């Protein structure tokens, strides 16, 4: 705290600072706000933003990279599935943002509230603006819990949970423990989602948990999904359908959750193939994967997005379709592949090579094939490791049939992938398993 000393230089500085702070608070003009500028601006310091930042902060040197990220906490979201199943804690999945952002980059702890790509600048919630030569957009997607009637209130009541957000994920295991009997319902929304496997992974874990704790015969397990198939890739869909048959899980396709009534413990689903017809189910446990969308700030900038509101980039080069100094990575883009951290890692290589070329005014030659991966955890000791490309063709790393449940893949998901994420990916050293795939298949893939 500054001491008040009449007449001293310190006192007058403090008065001046306070005056300026107050003036800035009440000022509607922009004279007191800062104008930052940089060679490379990265918007979002999640999986994509951190990895790109790590690559370029050392390459471009101190102060040339600015990362805008509002959150003080960085979560390894793929761990949320294991937290929901009681296998990890929320603390295991979280590190301070400061510790994962590259030291050479400038971190502005703020939100972008407006993109102005024609002027090469963004506006921040605190009033500052940032001008850039190149920008990488990595702001993920937005969870819209309030798009389902009654859901936000229902999430405060016993039996309703969601692995999708850090504020709810620890409740999932609490609710699994409290479950006694009745319907245990798991949902998949009628929107793009991140990690398309996550809505059903927790269901298989719950099913196994009820078996382990002697309550399986009391549970009626139901998967209500908006999709017309259980999974978008045929090979893994066959395996999962068989799994559901064997474990007595009822799958209702094309059913979208529209309302939750916590007082009656009822969930209402619309039949998407028969608009206006509804299915109402009572629940003892309801795990909700919420509707998701591109962040509103992105949707609001029509020059940057396509008709779905996601960043409009070339599916091959990741360069924006209109602005040749803007690239996108991760969940906020309209890349037609499954939105996962694994996809981000693979996109990083393409982005790095093409951004380097763009900075040198050379042609872009690197091409992203849509590689993505989803470790479909099917219990406390098994996992199907799905890996595929834009065409839904499997791109498996290991020389075994990855369509089968395996303990080895589960161990990798639980122990190896988190290390890979914190120590390699966020430091810019992990660009997907392409090299290992080649080695494991003796150079033939
Ligand atoms: C339950 C669950 C399970 C998952 N399982 C897996 C899995 O097994 N394997 C896998 O590969 N992936 C999995 N994922 C998906 C994976 O976590 C995401 O695909 C990945 O984090 C996407 O990275 P991103 O950088 O695009 O977005 P994020 O990592 O979400 O980062 C976006 C960042 O942008 C910031 N931001 C938002 N708005 C603004 C703004 N206006 N201004 C500035 N910054 C902003 C946010 O604070 C955030 O830090 C899972 C996700 C969930 C929720």
């Amino acid at each position: 705290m500054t001491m008040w000393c009449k007449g001293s230089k310190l006192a007058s500085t403090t008065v001046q600072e306070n005056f300026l702070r107050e003036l800035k608070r009440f000022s509607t003009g922009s004279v007191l706000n800062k104008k930052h500028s940089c060679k490379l601006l990265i918007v979002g310091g999640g999986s994509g933003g951190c990895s790109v930042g790590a690559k370029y902060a050392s390459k471009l040197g101190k102060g040339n990279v600015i990362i805008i990220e509002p959150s003080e906490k960085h979560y390894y979201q793929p761990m949320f599935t294991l937290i929901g199943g009681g296998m990890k804690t929320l603390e295991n999945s979280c590190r301070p943002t400061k510790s994962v952002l590259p030291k050479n980059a400038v971190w502005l702890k703020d939100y972008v509230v407006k993109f102005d790509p024609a002027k090469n600048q963004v506006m921040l919630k605190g009033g500052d603006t940032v001008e850039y030569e190149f920008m990488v957009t990595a702001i993920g997607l937005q969870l819209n819990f309030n798009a389902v009637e009654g859901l936000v209130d229902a999430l405060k009541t016993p039996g309703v949970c969601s692995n999708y957000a850090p504020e709810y994920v620890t409740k999932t295991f609490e609710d699994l423990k409290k479950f006694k009997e009745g319907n245990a319902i798991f949902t998949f929304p009628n929107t793009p989602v991140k990690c398309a496997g996550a809505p059903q992974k927790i269901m298989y874990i719950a099913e196994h948990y009820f078996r382990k704790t002697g309550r399986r015969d009391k549970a009626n397990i139901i998967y209500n999904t908006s999709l017309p198939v259980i999974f978008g890739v045929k090979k893994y869909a066959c395996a999962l359908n068989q799994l559901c048959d064997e474990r007595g899980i009822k799958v209702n396709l094309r059913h979208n959750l529209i309302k939750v009534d916590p007082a009656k413990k009822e969930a209402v689903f619309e039949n998407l193939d028969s608009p206006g017809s509804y299915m109402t189910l009572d629940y003892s446990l309801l795990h909700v994967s919420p509707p998701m969308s591109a962040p509103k700030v992105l949707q609001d900038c029509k020059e940057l997005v396509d008709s779905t509101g996601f960043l409009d980039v070339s599916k091959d080069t990741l360069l924006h379709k209109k602005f040749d100094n803007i690239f996108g990575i991760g969940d906020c883009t309209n890349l037609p592949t499954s939105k996962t951290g694994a996809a981000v890692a693979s996109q990083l290589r393409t982005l790095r090579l093409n951004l380097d070329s763009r900075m040198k005014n050379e042609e872009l030659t690197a091409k992203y094939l849509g590689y993505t991966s989803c470790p479909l955890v099917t219990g406390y000791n098994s996992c199907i490791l799905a890996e595929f490309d834009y065409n839904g063709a499997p791109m498996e790393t290991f020389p075994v049939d990855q369509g089968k449940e395996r303990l080895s893949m589960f161990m990798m998901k639980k122990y190896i992938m988190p290390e890979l994420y914190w120590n390699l990916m966020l430091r810019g050293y992990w660009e997907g398993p392409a090299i290992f795939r080649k080695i494991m298949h003796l150079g033939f893939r």
Side-chain angles (χ1 to χ4, degrees):
M1 201 175 91
T2 311
M3 299 292 287
W4 175 256
C5 345
K6 211 174 176 186
S8 75
K9 194 175 167 203
L10 179 61
S12 71
T13 310
T14 310
V15 169
Q16 207 176 350
E17 274 170 4
N18 285 344
F19 173 72
L20 282 173
R21 201 175 306 122
E22 286 307 294
L23 193 63
K24 184 170 173 177
R25 208 151 67 82
F26 292 109
S27 161
T28 50
S30 58
V31 274
L32 297 170
N33 292 322
K34 275 199 194 144
K35 197 161 193 162
H36 310 262
S37 69
C38 59
K39 174 96 173 164
L40 176 64
L41 171 65
I42 299 168
V43 185
S47 310
C50 272
S51 336
V52 177
K55 285 264 178 231
Y56 282 89
S58 47
K59 197 182 278 194
L60 298 178
K62 211 171 172 72
N64 286 316
V65 176
I66 291 181
I67 302 179
I68 304 170
E69 166 58 51
S71 177
E72 297 236 353
K73 290 179 180 169
H74 182 109
Y75 290 99
Y76 173 52
Q77 299 170 52
M79 199 179 274
F80 288 179
T81 295
L82 302 182
I83 298 170
M87 291 177 253
K88 296 270 183 181
T89 64
L90 187 61
E91 291 70 40
N92 293 153
S93 72
C94 180
R95 295 210 178 156
T97 297
K98 198 173 161 212
S99 73
V100 295
L101 289 178
K103 302 279 170 285
N104 274 352
V106 176
W107 173 26
L108 298 182
K109 192 179 159 311
D110 209 331
Y111 289 87
V112 167
V113 286
K114 191 176 173 208
F115 287 95
D116 192 349
K119 289 190 184 153
N120 295 326
Q121 67 177 30
V122 298
M123 267 67 94
L124 308 187
K125 195 175 175 190
D128 291 1
T129 51
V130 186
E131 249 177 26
Y132 54 83
E133 218 174 298
F134 297 92
M135 175 169 75
V136 173
T137 306
I139 56 172
L141 49 64
Q142 181 176 301
L143 302 172
N144 299 317
F145 285 99
N146 53 8
V148 174
E149 190 184 334
L151 177 58
V152 174
D153 286 337
L155 280 161
K156 295 174 198 147
T157 64
V160 183
C161 52
S162 177
N163 276 358
Y164 266 84
E167 57 270 36
Y168 299 127
V169 64
T170 52
K171 188 168 178 287
T172 302
F173 193 56
E174 293 305 310
D175 285 340
L176 290 193
K177 283 192 282 189
K178 284 181 202 146
F179 179 87
K180 288 198 174 69
E181 59 181 343
N183 287 341
I185 306 170
F186 298 81
T187 74
F188 187 111
N190 191 23
T191 64
V193 296
K194 52 179 152 185
C195 193
Q200 57 186 300
K201 294 180 203 178
I202 185 61
M203 172 173 73
Y204 303 125
I205 292 171
E207 194 275 339
H208 192 181
Y209 183 68
F210 296 151
R211 260 189 288 144
K212 284 199 323 173
T213 51
R215 289 171 289 166
R216 179 62 186 94
D217 57 338
K218 300 258 177 20
N220 184 27
I221 300 181
I222 302 167
Y223 185 49
N224 272 14
T225 170
S226 300
L227 298 178
V229 287
I230 193 164
F231 197 76
V233 177
K234 201 168 166 208
K235 170 172 181 169
Y236 308 113
C238 290
L240 295 170
N241 278 325
Q242 194 184 336
L243 199 78
C244 287
D245 282 350
E246 286 166 5
R247 298 209 195 161
I249 295 171
K250 170 92 179 114
V251 179
N252 294 311
L253 303 175
R254 302 290 286 150
H255 277 76
N256 180 39
L257 179 70
I258 55 161
K259 184 177 170 184
V260 186
D261 184 338
K264 293 187 186 158
K265 291 209 138 215
E266 277 179 0
V268 183
F269 296 85
E270 182 173 22
N271 181 341
L272 297 172
D273 286 336
S274 170
S277 94
Y278 302 96
M279 172 195 271
T280 301
L281 294 173
D282 54 330
Y283 63 79
S284 300
L285 179 79
L286 177 66
H287 177 275
V288 181
S289 299
M292 301 172 212
S293 66
K296 180 157 184 319
V297 60
L298 199 55
Q299 292 185 48
D300 287 346
C301 183
K302 299 296 172 216
E303 305 124 282
L304 282 183
V305 299
D306 69 4
S307 59
T308 66
F310 285 90
L311 189 77
D312 197 12
V313 294
S314 150
K315 75 190 245 300
D316 298 329
T317 64
L318 312 189
L319 181 67
H320 193 269
K321 287 191 186 150
K322 284 196 201 115
F323 297 94
D324 67 2
N325 60 343
I326 298 178
F327 285 83
I329 190 165
D331 296 353
C332 68
T333 64
N334 65 352
L335 294 167
T337 193
S338 186
K339 296 177 188 299
T340 65
V344 169
S346 185
Q347 289 158 22
L348 180 65
R349 179 174 185 276
T350 310
L351 191 146
R352 170 178 62 81
L353 294 169
N354 287 339
L355 180 54
D356 280 355
S357 300
R358 174 55 67 224
M359 284 177 171
K360 289 187 235 153
N361 251 329
E362 291 170 0
E363 219 171 291
L364 311 192
T365 50
K367 209 170 159 182
Y368 172 56
L369 302 176
Y371 172 86
T372 189
S373 151
C374 188
L376 293 152
V377 178
T378 53
Y380 284 84
N381 50 14
S382 55
C383 175
I384 290 172
L385 181 61
E387 295 183 283
F388 49 97
D389 66 9
Y390 276 138
N391 303 316
M395 276 180 94
E396 299 183 346
T397 301
F398 300 96
V400 293
D401 179 2
Q402 290 183 204
K404 289 201 170 120
E405 293 179 87
R406 291 181 188 276
L407 171 65
S408 53
M409 301 300 161
F410 176 82
M411 299 305 259
M412 201 162 68
K413 160 82 184 165
K414 190 171 176 188
Y415 299 109
I416 298 177
M417 288 177 182
E419 295 304 318
L420 202 76
Y421 183 78
W422 297 118
N423 299 318
L424 296 181
M425 185 169 162
L426 293 187
R427 295 182 185 180
Y429 299 130
W430 178 249
E431 296 184 340
I435 239 174
F436 296 97
R437 190 165 50 244
K438 257 201 177 132
I439 295 168
M440 301 242 187
H441 294 273
L442 306 174
F444 288 106
R445 279 195 198 171

